[in-house]
Structures are given as C-alpha cells and as structure tokens.
C-alpha cells in the first residue's frame, strides 16, 4: 500500500504541484479512504518527504542501470536525459520551486542528495570520455560538475523560462547539447552531431 500511495503521490505532485494536491486527492486517486493514507503517512509533510526520496531513488537507480551498460559517454548523456524526462514528464507547475517554497527543509535535503548523484554521474562520464578521446583533456571536473548542476536547476526556473514559452523537455535537450559542445573533442562532436541528426531533430 505504501508503494501505491507513493506512486500516486509522485504523479500528482509532479502534475499539479506540491501545494495544491491534498491527502483527499491522493486517496481519491487510488480509491482508498483518507484514513488509509494517514495510517501510512501521518502528515502531508511526511508524505512529501517520502515521495521526494522515492523519486530520487527511482531516478538514481535508473541512472545507475544506464551507466552499467557502459555506453559511449556521449550517448550515455542522452539515455540518462530520456530516462529522467520519462519520470518527470508533465512537470508543468514547477514542483521543484514549489517544494523549495513550501517545504524548504525537504528541498534542501533532496537538493544535496541530487548534487551527489549528479556529481558522481557527470564526473565518471567525463573521466571515461577523456580516456576514450571524446572529451577535452584540459577539463576541470569540479567546475564542470557544479556548473552542470546549476544549469539543470536553472532551466526549471519558470520565471526565467515561462511555461507558456518554453517546453522543459526541449530545454533539457538544448542544455545537454550546450554542455556537450563545450567539452567534446572533434571525435566527440562527430558522435554528437550524428546522434542529434538521427534522433533529436
């Protein structure tokens, strides 16, 4: 039951936002009483915390599975992007910034955990890419991982990128291409351009 609640809560929070979704809404969604929800999560805050951790764990596991496939480092970025988009699709109400505004402690904990996941993922991807000649040898790993993380957060800012003007999935594609063109060698750029020509356009 807890997993059923978490899955429903995650879908609704991402679609409608953390503020507007109520425990009644979630109970109605899965066809149980509100008492059942409260029996598993005594407050909405605890459910938000559990849902955030659930989403982070799901995405982290998916990223790990992709990394274990030992794909070409350039292509690996696109596979991770595709996976993340699938799990965060429908993000039209800026749940990221609603979480920051209404549940700041939960946001801070998840923010720190997200950075650790991304830091590990990006750093290892760049190391492999350098070894294989796809990425430049002079890259500053610490800088690249941090600027990448800041950029990923930045494209979620609906004040800078209003929903009416920008599609978040398209923004992520643009940002990823921007990131890769900044670090790729000619060899890497060839793979990038071929992939974009076949899949992204």
């Amino acid at each position: 039951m807890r997993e059923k609640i978490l899955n429903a809560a995650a879908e609704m929070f991402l679609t409608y936002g953390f503020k507007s979704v109520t425990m009644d809404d979630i109970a109605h969604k899965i066809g149980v009483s509100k008492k059942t929800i409260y029996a598993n999560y005594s407050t909405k805050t605890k459910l938000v915390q559990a849902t955030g951790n659930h989403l982070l764990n799901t995405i982290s596991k998916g990223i790990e599975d992709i990394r274990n496939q030992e794909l070409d480092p350039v292509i690996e970025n696109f596979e991770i992007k595709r996976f993340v988009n699938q799990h965060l699709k429908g993000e039209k109400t800026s749940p990221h910034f609603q979480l920051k505004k209404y549940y700041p402690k939960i946001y801070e904990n998840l923010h720190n955990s997200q950075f650790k996941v991304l830091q590990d993922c990006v750093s290892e991807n760049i190391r492999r890419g350098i070894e294989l000649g796809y990425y430049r040898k002079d890259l500053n790993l610490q800088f690249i991982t941090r600027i990448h993380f800041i950029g990923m957060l930045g494209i979620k800012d609906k004040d800078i990128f209003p929903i009416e003007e920008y599609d978040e999935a398209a923004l992520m594609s643009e940002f990823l291409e921007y990131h890769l063109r900044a670090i790729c060698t000619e060899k890497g750029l060839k793979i990038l351009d071929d992939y974009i020509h076949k899949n992204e356009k």
Side-chain angles (χ1 to χ4, degrees):
M1 176 56 69
R2 290 175 73 88
E3 185 173 354
K4 188 175 182 180
I5 293 171
L6 285 177
N7 288 334
E11 179 184 348
M12 296 186 77
F13 287 147
L14 289 176
T15 303
Y16 304 109
F18 288 95
K19 177 66 173 176
S20 58
V21 175
T22 67
M23 301 291 256
D24 276 321
D25 293 331
I26 297 168
H28 180 73
K29 171 77 174 178
I30 59 178
V32 300
S33 69
K34 188 165 65 171
K35 287 183 180 180
T36 301
I37 306 292
Y38 279 113
N40 287 275
Y41 300 98
S42 58
T43 66
K44 183 180 175 182
T45 298
K46 289 182 179 179
L47 177 56
V48 169
Q49 174 74 69
T51 302
N53 290 335
H54 174 68
L55 279 169
L56 181 62
N57 290 338
T58 298
I59 291 173
S60 297
K61 177 63 166 58
I63 290 174
E64 182 181 351
D65 289 343
I66 291 170
R67 291 172 62 191
N68 287 338
Q69 295 176 32
E70 297 186 354
L71 301 170
D72 177 296
V74 175
I75 305 304
E76 181 181 87
N77 284 279
F78 288 97
E79 288 301 305
I80 290 173
K81 182 207 71 173
R82 180 186 57 78
F83 175 80
V84 172
N85 278 347
Q86 285 178 346
H87 284 78
L88 298 182
K89 63 183 177 180
E91 202 169 307
K92 300 296 185 184
T93 53
S94 191
H96 174 85
F97 281 89
Q98 282 197 21
L99 187 65
K100 184 177 182 179
K101 181 177 181 179
Y102 298 109
Y103 300 93
K105 290 183 178 179
I106 296 174
Y107 170 83
E108 183 178 355
N109 289 335
L110 287 173
H111 179 271
N112 292 336
S113 297
Q114 284 176 325
F115 176 69
K116 290 177 182 176
V117 170
L118 187 67
Q119 183 180 39
D120 182 51
C121 176
V122 173
S123 295
E124 181 58 29
N125 179 273
I126 291 176
R127 287 191 189 97
R128 287 201 305 118
I130 290 173
E131 289 175 3
L132 294 170
Y134 296 129
Y135 301 150
R136 295 172 11 228
K137 293 181 179 180
D138 60 344
L139 296 175
N140 183 324
L141 276 178
Q142 294 298 319
F143 173 77
I144 296 296
T145 54
R146 282 165 170 75
I147 203 70
H148 188 73
F149 184 66
I150 291 171
M152 292 299 292
L153 294 182
I155 62 176
K156 295 178 181 294
D157 190 327
K158 302 309 178 188
D159 290 328
I160 298 175
F161 297 104
I163 295 172
E164 300 78 16
E165 299 178 33
Y166 297 94
D167 175 77
E168 190 162 305
L171 279 174
M172 187 175 286
S173 293
E174 292 283 349
F175 178 74
L176 181 56
E177 182 178 348
Y178 178 86
H179 163 73
L180 289 169
R181 289 196 182 281
I183 67 174
C184 277
T185 61
E186 288 187 13
K187 181 180 178 181
L189 287 172
K190 177 64 167 59
I191 294 173
L192 174 62
D193 287 333
D194 287 347
Y195 182 89
I196 290 174
H197 179 72
K198 293 176 182 177
N199 300 278
E200 296 288 301
K201 301 300 183 183

